[in-house]
Amino acid sequence: MTEVKEKELSAGAAGAFAASAKPMGKREQTKLNNREAILNAAREVFAELGYGATTVRDIIRKTGLASGTFYNYYKSKEEVFEALMDDGMRRIRPRLKADRIRSRTFEEFIRNAFRTYFDYLASDRMTFQIIRRNPTALRVRMDSPEMVAGFEEIRQYIEEDIRDGNVPPVDSEYLMAAVVGIAMEIGDRMIMRGEIDPKTAADFATTLVLHGFHALPVKTEAGS
């Protein structure tokens, strides 16, 4: 590569970096603030009232914004709820990718992924309340863009392990659906218990996925 070409590429890279690092304008900042205000208000309202009882007016009242401002960003409470689900998946996906990188086996990845999800439910109080109040809505609204992308990543991880010989050549789509479904349902039950235990939930889910119910520990009369 010539010296001139290298300088051109370097200048181009520097320009791209400068453009990405450019301070956000007032208009863009206002949009970001309004969107955050709506989502934060929606989290509180959905956690308090539940999806079915919540109205757009409840969310707007909580934000302090004008109704016209709300409709500049979302058309309905359904869209707001989907945005919240996408926001949660955006937080989880980098953690799942980190789990994938640090896991040496497929079993480790599945265990770590379950633990990451259950820890997230246990540590994020607002998410905890939303899930407790809106389990049906969560199950119905699983086709938002970020959710779909997150599930597809899990399927791709499974495909990689199948190609590497770490997992038998099973139906990766069905296995992904099973893993996600188990995570959702066990997470649902976990947060309804008086004592939330992400490790025990992750161990149970992992054993069920990899070894079937015959391998699960038998529950004693005392519940241990």
Side-chain angles (χ1 to χ4, degrees), residues 147-166:
M147 297 285 278
V148 171
F151 297 156
E152 177 61 18
E153 279 186 358
I154 295 173
R155 190 192 66 77
Q156 289 174 0
Y157 295 151
I158 293 172
E159 287 281 0
E160 289 173 3
D161 275 310
I162 291 174
R163 288 195 298 269
D164 293 341
N166 300 322

Side-chain angles (χ1 to χ4, degrees), residues 5 33 77 110 177 185 192:
K5 189 65 173 178
N33 292 342
K77 72 173 184 179
I110 291 296
E185 294 297 334
M192 291 180 184

Side-chain angles (χ1 to χ4, degrees), residues 4-222:
V4 173
K5 189 65 173 178
E6 287 178 350
K7 287 182 178 179
E8 289 176 353
L9 289 175
S10 297
F17 176 79
S20 65
K22 184 179 179 180
M24 187 179 297
K26 184 176 180 180
R27 183 182 178 86
E28 288 73 19
Q29 186 64 55
T30 298
K31 287 182 177 180
L32 179 63
N33 292 342
N34 287 345
R35 193 180 298 276
E36 280 298 306
I38 293 170
L39 292 181
N40 288 336
R43 283 188 184 93
E44 294 186 33
V45 176
F46 284 131
E48 180 183 354
L49 302 179
Y51 180 82
T54 294
T55 66
V56 168
R57 183 176 298 179
D58 293 323
I59 298 172
I60 293 172
R61 188 181 299 118
K62 196 76 171 179
T63 66
L65 299 172
S67 60
T69 302
F70 173 91
Y71 287 108
N72 283 335
Y73 299 91
Y74 301 103
K75 297 177 182 178
S76 63
K77 72 173 184 179
E78 288 82 2
E79 283 194 2
V80 179
F81 197 84
E82 288 177 2
L84 288 178
M85 295 304 96
D86 275 351
D87 185 60
M89 181 59 84
R90 285 190 198 95
R91 300 182 193 184
I92 294 256
R93 286 176 66 184
R95 302 182 197 181
L96 292 178
K97 188 171 184 177
D99 288 336
R100 176 66 176 175
I101 293 171
R102 70 188 177 93
S103 299
R104 294 167 296 179
T105 65
F106 182 70
E107 179 170 352
E108 278 190 13
F109 167 62
I110 291 296
R111 188 180 304 278
N112 290 335
F114 277 134
R115 181 63 186 270
T116 290
Y117 178 65
F118 296 143
D119 279 339
Y120 168 68
L121 296 184
S123 62
D124 189 320
R125 190 67 184 176
M126 194 61 69
T127 298
F128 173 97
Q129 291 294 342
I130 290 174
I131 290 177
R132 287 204 66 171
R133 294 302 302 269
N134 305 280
T136 302
L138 281 168
R139 291 186 183 91
V140 170
R141 306 190 179 282
M142 299 292 286
D143 59 350
S144 60
E146 197 71 25
M147 297 285 278
V148 171
F151 297 156
E152 177 61 18
E153 279 186 358
I154 295 173
R155 190 192 66 77
Q156 289 174 0
Y157 295 151
I158 293 172
E159 287 281 0
E160 289 173 3
D161 275 310
I162 291 174
R163 288 195 298 269
D164 293 341
N166 300 322
V167 177
V170 298
D171 189 311
S172 61
E173 187 175 11
Y174 278 175
L175 181 54
M176 175 275 290
V179 169
V180 170
I182 288 171
M184 293 286 291
E185 294 297 334
I186 291 182
D188 223 14
R189 297 295 172 178
M190 180 191 74
I191 63 177
M192 291 180 184
R193 295 188 171 189
E195 184 177 345
I196 298 176
D197 186 352
K199 181 181 183 303
T200 297
D203 288 343
F204 184 98
T206 303
T207 300
L208 181 59
V209 169
L210 297 178
H211 306 293
F213 73 91
H214 290 295
L216 292 172
V218 177
K219 190 175 182 180
T220 66
E221 291 184 4

